[in-house]
Amino acid sequence: MKVPISILILLLAVNLLHGQSRKLVSIGLGANSYRGDLTNKFEKWSNTFHLGIKLNADKKLNGNFNIAAGFITGENLNYAFDNGELPEPSPNRFFRTPIFMLNYELNYNLFEWKKIRFYLSQGAGLLRINPQDQFFEDLQDQPETRAPNETFSNVTLMLPTQLGLIYLFRNNFGLSFQVGTLNSLTDYLDNIGDWGAKKGVDNVLATRFS
């Protein structure tokens, strides 16, 4: 398996981001919305808590280490998958997935307007998932909800791409907002893979305010 080019670029950038310019600690809340086999658009929203540290904050190119925890959810009571086999497939129609994220983001300040910095962010990191049913039971332990012999890992890579803005006050406090997609590399955020109606991996639209 080839290492994604973006990960190599990020690792190189970490080595280039030397120096001792200002560091900023961020604490905030976010909202996530899932798109996958149970819905083809971002619609249901759920909460996330974020904690991060931004390095070399005053430079055009700067980095941010981030951890976050929360959950995503989705439901389609009419969802069915018919492949002509018997017994008929019985995929789950609801899921609630606790998530934990650990990632590094490379930020590029695009421009500044009236003390507001606008930036583009590309990251790489790990995403831990644990899909559950409406009774908070692990779907990973319910093989009847997936195709025969189908299993998946609850840890996957993600390559989040985001746009953001930050307003810094003179006292080193500030406000920021960020929005983008997590770009996970798994099709099992909703526990549905082979019995899915949508091709490709699941995704999450994520916002963050801190």
Side-chain angles (χ1 to χ4, degrees):
M1 173 177 160
K2 295 182 178 180
V3 177
I5 295 177
S6 57
I7 294 180
L8 295 177
I9 295 175
L10 286 169
L11 293 176
L12 176 62
V14 171
N15 293 326
L16 294 176
L17 289 173
H18 57 82
Q20 297 296 324
S21 77
R22 183 165 47 167
K23 299 180 178 64
L24 298 174
V25 175
S26 64
I27 300 174
L29 297 175
N32 299 324
S33 181
Y34 142 91
R35 182 180 67 189
D37 294 299
L38 294 183
T39 177
N40 59 9
K41 59 183 179 180
F42 300 111
E43 49 185 9
K44 285 183 177 262
W45 293 89
S46 53
N47 298 327
T48 306
F49 175 78
H50 294 266
L51 176 64
I53 180 169
K54 182 184 289 290
L55 309 176
N56 303 312
D58 297 318
K59 293 188 176 182
K60 190 85 170 177
L61 193 64
N62 55 82
N64 185 65
F65 288 97
N66 182 61
I67 60 175
F71 71 96
I72 55 175
T73 186
E75 182 178 34
N76 183 349
L77 297 179
N78 297 316
Y79 183 75
F81 183 80
D82 185 7
N83 58 3
E85 296 181 359
L86 292 176
E88 294 183 358
S90 54
N92 53 285
R93 296 175 177 176
F94 169 88
F95 77 95
R96 181 187 186 277
T97 299
I99 58 175
F100 179 81
M101 296 175 281
L102 175 64
N103 69 289
Y104 173 78
E105 300 168 354
L106 178 64
N107 302 326
Y108 180 76
N109 292 329
L110 299 172
F111 61 93
E112 185 171 338
W113 178 75
K114 294 185 177 181
K115 297 184 179 181
I116 302 177
R117 295 178 183 174
F118 295 83
Y119 63 87
L120 174 66
S121 172
Q122 177 60 54
L126 296 176
L127 172 64
R128 189 184 188 282
I129 61 174
N130 183 31
Q132 299 173 340
D133 61 19
Q134 64 269 38
F135 305 109
F136 301 99
E137 298 293 337
D138 293 348
L139 287 167
Q140 201 169 17
D141 297 331
Q142 301 177 39
E144 68 277 7
T145 61
R146 298 182 301 276
N149 302 316
E150 182 183 13
T151 61
F152 64 92
S153 172
N154 61 359
V155 177
T156 182
L157 287 174
M158 65 174 186
L159 302 171
T161 302
Q162 316 206 46
L163 286 171
L165 57 89
I166 181 171
Y167 182 89
L168 293 175
F169 302 100
R170 292 184 178 179
N171 58 5
N172 283 334
F173 284 89
L175 296 173
S176 67
F177 177 76
Q178 186 170 288
V179 60
T181 53
L182 295 186
N183 301 325
S184 74
L185 301 186
T186 182
D187 192 28
Y188 293 97
L189 296 181
D190 50 17
N191 185 64
I192 302 174
D194 292 349
W195 285 348
K198 182 187 69 66
K199 294 182 179 180
V201 297
D202 301 328
N203 210 343
V204 175
L205 178 64
T207 65
R208 182 170 73 200
F209 180 80
S210 59

